[in-house]
mmCIF file with all atom_site columns, all heavy atoms in Angstrom:
data_model
loop_
_atom_site.group_PDB
_atom_site.id
_atom_site.type_symbol
_atom_site.label_atom_id
_atom_site.label_alt_id
_atom_site.label_comp_id
_atom_site.label_asym_id
_atom_site.label_entity_id
_atom_site.label_seq_id
_atom_site.pdbx_PDB_ins_code
_atom_site.Cartn_x
_atom_site.Cartn_y
_atom_site.Cartn_z
_atom_site.occupancy
_atom_site.B_iso_or_equiv
_atom_site.pdbx_formal_charge
_atom_site.auth_seq_id
_atom_site.auth_comp_id
_atom_site.auth_asym_id
_atom_site.auth_atom_id
_atom_site.pdbx_PDB_model_num
ATOM 1   N N   . ALA D 1 56 ? 1.924  4.853  28.391 1.00 98.00 ? 56 ALA D N   1
ATOM 2   C CA  . ALA D 1 56 ? 1.970  4.794  26.984 1.00 98.00 ? 56 ALA D CA  1
ATOM 3   C C   . ALA D 1 56 ? 1.376  5.968  26.277 1.00 98.00 ? 56 ALA D C   1
ATOM 4   O O   . ALA D 1 56 ? 1.846  6.524  25.316 1.00 98.00 ? 56 ALA D O   1
ATOM 5   C CB  . ALA D 1 56 ? 1.162  3.481  26.529 1.00 98.00 ? 56 ALA D CB  1
ATOM 6   N N   . HIS D 1 57 ? 0.303  6.511  26.802 1.00 98.00 ? 57 HIS D N   1
ATOM 7   C CA  . HIS D 1 57 ? -0.339 7.684  26.281 1.00 98.00 ? 57 HIS D CA  1
ATOM 8   C C   . HIS D 1 57 ? 0.614  8.844  26.356 1.00 98.00 ? 57 HIS D C   1
ATOM 9   O O   . HIS D 1 57 ? 0.791  9.645  25.372 1.00 98.00 ? 57 HIS D O   1
ATOM 10  C CB  . HIS D 1 57 ? -1.618 8.081  27.021 1.00 98.00 ? 57 HIS D CB  1
ATOM 11  C CG  . HIS D 1 57 ? -2.405 9.165  26.389 1.00 98.00 ? 57 HIS D CG  1
ATOM 12  N ND1 . HIS D 1 57 ? -2.113 10.503 26.842 1.00 98.00 ? 57 HIS D ND1 1
ATOM 13  C CD2 . HIS D 1 57 ? -3.311 9.148  25.508 1.00 98.00 ? 57 HIS D CD2 1
ATOM 14  C CE1 . HIS D 1 57 ? -2.935 11.267 26.097 1.00 98.00 ? 57 HIS D CE1 1
ATOM 15  N NE2 . HIS D 1 57 ? -3.674 10.467 25.311 1.00 98.00 ? 57 HIS D NE2 1
ATOM 16  N N   . GLN D 1 58 ? 1.295  9.091  27.524 1.00 98.00 ? 58 GLN D N   1
ATOM 17  C CA  . GLN D 1 58 ? 2.249  10.151 27.630 1.00 98.00 ? 58 GLN D CA  1
ATOM 18  C C   . GLN D 1 58 ? 3.375  9.992  26.634 1.00 98.00 ? 58 GLN D C   1
ATOM 19  O O   . GLN D 1 58 ? 3.891  10.978 26.111 1.00 98.00 ? 58 GLN D O   1
ATOM 20  C CB  . GLN D 1 58 ? 2.730  10.253 29.088 1.00 98.00 ? 58 GLN D CB  1
ATOM 21  C CG  . GLN D 1 58 ? 3.783  11.435 29.277 1.00 98.00 ? 58 GLN D CG  1
ATOM 22  C CD  . GLN D 1 58 ? 3.041  12.745 29.162 1.00 98.00 ? 58 GLN D CD  1
ATOM 23  O OE1 . GLN D 1 58 ? 1.946  13.003 29.593 1.00 98.00 ? 58 GLN D OE1 1
ATOM 24  N NE2 . GLN D 1 58 ? 3.735  13.700 28.456 1.00 98.00 ? 58 GLN D NE2 1
ATOM 25  N N   . VAL D 1 59 ? 3.947  8.806  26.461 1.00 98.00 ? 59 VAL D N   1
ATOM 26  C CA  . VAL D 1 59 ? 5.037  8.525  25.544 1.00 98.00 ? 59 VAL D CA  1
ATOM 27  C C   . VAL D 1 59 ? 4.603  8.962  24.145 1.00 98.00 ? 59 VAL D C   1
ATOM 28  O O   . VAL D 1 59 ? 5.417  9.604  23.423 1.00 98.00 ? 59 VAL D O   1
ATOM 29  C CB  . VAL D 1 59 ? 5.513  7.102  25.647 1.00 98.00 ? 59 VAL D CB  1
ATOM 30  C CG1 . VAL D 1 59 ? 6.452  6.811  24.555 1.00 98.00 ? 59 VAL D CG1 1
ATOM 31  C CG2 . VAL D 1 59 ? 6.110  6.757  26.947 1.00 98.00 ? 59 VAL D CG2 1
ATOM 32  N N   . PHE D 1 60 ? 3.424  8.556  23.744 1.00 98.00 ? 60 PHE D N   1
ATOM 33  C CA  . PHE D 1 60 ? 3.019  8.868  22.298 1.00 98.00 ? 60 PHE D CA  1
ATOM 34  C C   . PHE D 1 60 ? 2.714  10.444 22.297 1.00 98.00 ? 60 PHE D C   1
ATOM 35  O O   . PHE D 1 60 ? 2.988  11.006 21.177 1.00 98.00 ? 60 PHE D O   1
ATOM 36  C CB  . PHE D 1 60 ? 1.744  8.117  21.924 1.00 98.00 ? 60 PHE D CB  1
ATOM 37  C CG  . PHE D 1 60 ? 2.129  6.779  21.324 1.00 98.00 ? 60 PHE D CG  1
ATOM 38  C CD1 . PHE D 1 60 ? 2.254  5.670  22.024 1.00 98.00 ? 60 PHE D CD1 1
ATOM 39  C CD2 . PHE D 1 60 ? 2.590  6.713  19.937 1.00 98.00 ? 60 PHE D CD2 1
ATOM 40  C CE1 . PHE D 1 60 ? 2.687  4.485  21.544 1.00 98.00 ? 60 PHE D CE1 1
ATOM 41  C CE2 . PHE D 1 60 ? 2.923  5.523  19.400 1.00 98.00 ? 60 PHE D CE2 1
ATOM 42  C CZ  . PHE D 1 60 ? 3.063  4.424  20.239 1.00 98.00 ? 60 PHE D CZ  1
ATOM 43  N N   . GLU D 1 61 ? 2.293  11.091 23.326 1.00 98.00 ? 61 GLU D N   1
ATOM 44  C CA  . GLU D 1 61 ? 2.202  12.511 23.297 1.00 98.00 ? 61 GLU D CA  1
ATOM 45  C C   . GLU D 1 61 ? 3.611  13.131 23.119 1.00 98.00 ? 61 GLU D C   1
ATOM 46  O O   . GLU D 1 61 ? 3.797  14.155 22.411 1.00 98.00 ? 61 GLU D O   1
ATOM 47  C CB  . GLU D 1 61 ? 1.446  13.095 24.501 1.00 98.00 ? 61 GLU D CB  1
ATOM 48  C CG  . GLU D 1 61 ? 1.353  14.610 24.544 1.00 98.00 ? 61 GLU D CG  1
ATOM 49  C CD  . GLU D 1 61 ? 0.590  15.148 23.421 1.00 98.00 ? 61 GLU D CD  1
ATOM 50  O OE1 . GLU D 1 61 ? -0.220 14.425 22.720 1.00 98.00 ? 61 GLU D OE1 1
ATOM 51  O OE2 . GLU D 1 61 ? 0.686  16.388 23.157 1.00 98.00 ? 61 GLU D OE2 1
ATOM 52  N N   . ASN D 1 62 ? 4.533  12.580 23.803 1.00 98.00 ? 62 ASN D N   1
ATOM 53  C CA  . ASN D 1 62 ? 5.987  13.130 23.696 1.00 98.00 ? 62 ASN D CA  1
ATOM 54  C C   . ASN D 1 62 ? 6.502  12.965 22.255 1.00 98.00 ? 62 ASN D C   1
ATOM 55  O O   . ASN D 1 62 ? 7.110  13.783 21.695 1.00 98.00 ? 62 ASN D O   1
ATOM 56  C CB  . ASN D 1 62 ? 6.839  12.485 24.755 1.00 98.00 ? 62 ASN D CB  1
ATOM 57  C CG  . ASN D 1 62 ? 6.557  13.014 26.115 1.00 98.00 ? 62 ASN D CG  1
ATOM 58  O OD1 . ASN D 1 62 ? 5.736  13.995 26.428 1.00 98.00 ? 62 ASN D OD1 1
ATOM 59  N ND2 . ASN D 1 62 ? 7.099  12.313 27.138 1.00 98.00 ? 62 ASN D ND2 1
ATOM 60  N N   . LEU D 1 63 ? 6.168  11.720 21.771 1.00 98.00 ? 63 LEU D N   1
ATOM 61  C CA  . LEU D 1 63 ? 6.600  11.489 20.338 1.00 98.00 ? 63 LEU D CA  1
ATOM 62  C C   . LEU D 1 63 ? 5.910  12.383 19.423 1.00 98.00 ? 63 LEU D C   1
ATOM 63  O O   . LEU D 1 63 ? 6.589  12.962 18.488 1.00 98.00 ? 63 LEU D O   1
ATOM 64  C CB  . LEU D 1 63 ? 6.243  10.031 19.971 1.00 98.00 ? 63 LEU D CB  1
ATOM 65  C CG  . LEU D 1 63 ? 7.121  8.869  20.630 1.00 98.00 ? 63 LEU D CG  1
ATOM 66  C CD1 . LEU D 1 63 ? 6.429  7.557  20.500 1.00 98.00 ? 63 LEU D CD1 1
ATOM 67  C CD2 . LEU D 1 63 ? 8.525  8.892  20.004 1.00 98.00 ? 63 LEU D CD2 1
ATOM 68  N N   . ARG D 1 64 ? 4.660  12.658 19.608 1.00 98.00 ? 64 ARG D N   1
ATOM 69  C CA  . ARG D 1 64 ? 3.917  13.640 18.652 1.00 98.00 ? 64 ARG D CA  1
ATOM 70  C C   . ARG D 1 64 ? 4.635  15.001 18.798 1.00 98.00 ? 64 ARG D C   1
ATOM 71  O O   . ARG D 1 64 ? 4.856  15.576 17.720 1.00 98.00 ? 64 ARG D O   1
ATOM 72  C CB  . ARG D 1 64 ? 2.529  13.743 19.164 1.00 98.00 ? 64 ARG D CB  1
ATOM 73  C CG  . ARG D 1 64 ? 1.585  14.697 18.247 1.00 98.00 ? 64 ARG D CG  1
ATOM 74  C CD  . ARG D 1 64 ? 0.308  15.069 18.889 1.00 98.00 ? 64 ARG D CD  1
ATOM 75  N NE  . ARG D 1 64 ? 0.507  15.949 20.014 1.00 98.00 ? 64 ARG D NE  1
ATOM 76  C CZ  . ARG D 1 64 ? 0.831  17.252 19.976 1.00 98.00 ? 64 ARG D CZ  1
ATOM 77  N NH1 . ARG D 1 64 ? 1.018  17.794 18.766 1.00 98.00 ? 64 ARG D NH1 1
ATOM 78  N NH2 . ARG D 1 64 ? 0.969  18.013 21.096 1.00 98.00 ? 64 ARG D NH2 1
ATOM 79  N N   . ARG D 1 65 ? 5.018  15.463 19.961 1.00 98.00 ? 65 ARG D N   1
ATOM 80  C CA  . ARG D 1 65 ? 5.677  16.719 20.072 1.00 98.00 ? 65 ARG D CA  1
ATOM 81  C C   . ARG D 1 65 ? 7.017  16.728 19.431 1.00 98.00 ? 65 ARG D C   1
ATOM 82  O O   . ARG D 1 65 ? 7.419  17.731 18.766 1.00 98.00 ? 65 ARG D O   1
ATOM 83  C CB  . ARG D 1 65 ? 5.747  17.129 21.580 1.00 98.00 ? 65 ARG D CB  1
ATOM 84  C CG  . ARG D 1 65 ? 4.407  17.471 22.153 1.00 98.00 ? 65 ARG D CG  1
ATOM 85  C CD  . ARG D 1 65 ? 4.519  17.629 23.698 1.00 98.00 ? 65 ARG D CD  1
ATOM 86  N NE  . ARG D 1 65 ? 3.169  17.907 24.243 1.00 98.00 ? 65 ARG D NE  1
ATOM 87  C CZ  . ARG D 1 65 ? 2.919  17.931 25.501 1.00 98.00 ? 65 ARG D CZ  1
ATOM 88  N NH1 . ARG D 1 65 ? 3.849  17.698 26.397 1.00 98.00 ? 65 ARG D NH1 1
ATOM 89  N NH2 . ARG D 1 65 ? 1.669  18.117 25.942 1.00 98.00 ? 65 ARG D NH2 1
ATOM 90  N N   . CYS D 1 66 ? 7.754  15.720 19.620 1.00 98.00 ? 66 CYS D N   1
ATOM 91  C CA  . CYS D 1 66 ? 9.107  15.544 18.954 1.00 98.00 ? 66 CYS D CA  1
ATOM 92  C C   . CYS D 1 66 ? 8.970  15.595 17.476 1.00 98.00 ? 66 CYS D C   1
ATOM 93  O O   . CYS D 1 66 ? 9.747  16.277 16.788 1.00 98.00 ? 66 CYS D O   1
ATOM 94  C CB  . CYS D 1 66 ? 9.829  14.358 19.423 1.00 98.00 ? 66 CYS D CB  1
ATOM 95  S SG  . CYS D 1 66 ? 10.405 14.387 21.181 1.00 98.00 ? 66 CYS D SG  1
ATOM 96  N N   . LEU D 1 67 ? 8.010  14.800 16.958 1.00 98.00 ? 67 LEU D N   1
ATOM 97  C CA  . LEU D 1 67 ? 7.840  14.751 15.464 1.00 98.00 ? 67 LEU D CA  1
ATOM 98  C C   . LEU D 1 67 ? 7.487  16.149 14.969 1.00 98.00 ? 67 LEU D C   1
ATOM 99  O O   . LEU D 1 67 ? 7.982  16.502 13.995 1.00 98.00 ? 67 LEU D O   1
ATOM 100 C CB  . LEU D 1 67 ? 6.781  13.713 15.117 1.00 98.00 ? 67 LEU D CB  1
ATOM 101 C CG  . LEU D 1 67 ? 7.124  12.197 15.262 1.00 98.00 ? 67 LEU D CG  1
ATOM 102 C CD1 . LEU D 1 67 ? 5.886  11.379 15.296 1.00 98.00 ? 67 LEU D CD1 1
ATOM 103 C CD2 . LEU D 1 67 ? 8.104  11.789 14.154 1.00 98.00 ? 67 LEU D CD2 1
ATOM 104 N N   . ALA D 1 68 ? 6.555  16.799 15.636 1.00 97.00 ? 68 ALA D N   1
ATOM 105 C CA  . ALA D 1 68 ? 6.095  18.124 15.252 1.00 97.00 ? 68 ALA D CA  1
ATOM 106 C C   . ALA D 1 68 ? 7.317  19.082 15.203 1.00 97.00 ? 68 ALA D C   1
ATOM 107 O O   . ALA D 1 68 ? 7.472  19.894 14.278 1.00 97.00 ? 68 ALA D O   1
ATOM 108 C CB  . ALA D 1 68 ? 5.013  18.684 16.147 1.00 97.00 ? 68 ALA D CB  1
ATOM 109 N N   . ALA D 1 69 ? 8.230  18.989 16.171 1.00 97.00 ? 69 ALA D N   1
ATOM 110 C CA  . ALA D 1 69 ? 9.388  19.945 16.277 1.00 97.00 ? 69 ALA D CA  1
ATOM 111 C C   . ALA D 1 69 ? 10.257 19.718 14.968 1.00 97.00 ? 69 ALA D C   1
ATOM 112 O O   . ALA D 1 69 ? 10.985 20.572 14.601 1.00 97.00 ? 69 ALA D O   1
ATOM 113 C CB  . ALA D 1 69 ? 10.160 19.670 17.469 1.00 97.00 ? 69 ALA D CB  1
ATOM 114 N N   . ALA D 1 70 ? 10.223 18.510 14.331 1.00 96.00 ? 70 ALA D N   1
ATOM 115 C CA  . ALA D 1 70 ? 10.976 18.143 13.181 1.00 96.00 ? 70 ALA D CA  1
ATOM 116 C C   . ALA D 1 70 ? 10.176 18.376 11.857 1.00 96.00 ? 70 ALA D C   1
ATOM 117 O O   . ALA D 1 70 ? 10.644 18.059 10.811 1.00 96.00 ? 70 ALA D O   1
ATOM 118 C CB  . ALA D 1 70 ? 11.529 16.768 13.256 1.00 96.00 ? 70 ALA D CB  1
ATOM 119 N N   . GLY D 1 71 ? 9.016  18.904 12.054 1.00 96.00 ? 71 GLY D N   1
ATOM 120 C CA  . GLY D 1 71 ? 8.162  19.082 10.802 1.00 96.00 ? 71 GLY D CA  1
ATOM 121 C C   . GLY D 1 71 ? 7.499  17.830 10.367 1.00 96.00 ? 71 GLY D C   1
ATOM 122 O O   . GLY D 1 71 ? 7.238  17.717 9.161  1.00 96.00 ? 71 GLY D O   1
ATOM 123 N N   . ALA D 1 72 ? 7.317  16.906 11.249 1.00 96.00 ? 72 ALA D N   1
ATOM 124 C CA  . ALA D 1 72 ? 6.796  15.512 10.891 1.00 96.00 ? 72 ALA D CA  1
ATOM 125 C C   . ALA D 1 72 ? 5.572  15.226 11.661 1.00 96.00 ? 72 ALA D C   1
ATOM 126 O O   . ALA D 1 72 ? 5.239  15.972 12.609 1.00 96.00 ? 72 ALA D O   1
ATOM 127 C CB  . ALA D 1 72 ? 7.855  14.397 11.106 1.00 96.00 ? 72 ALA D CB  1
#
Side-chain angles (χ1 to χ4, degrees):
H57 186 273
Q58 182 66 43
V59 170
F60 274 94
E61 180 58 22
N62 291 346
L63 287 166
R64 183 194 68 73
R65 291 172 181 168
C66 289
L67 288 163

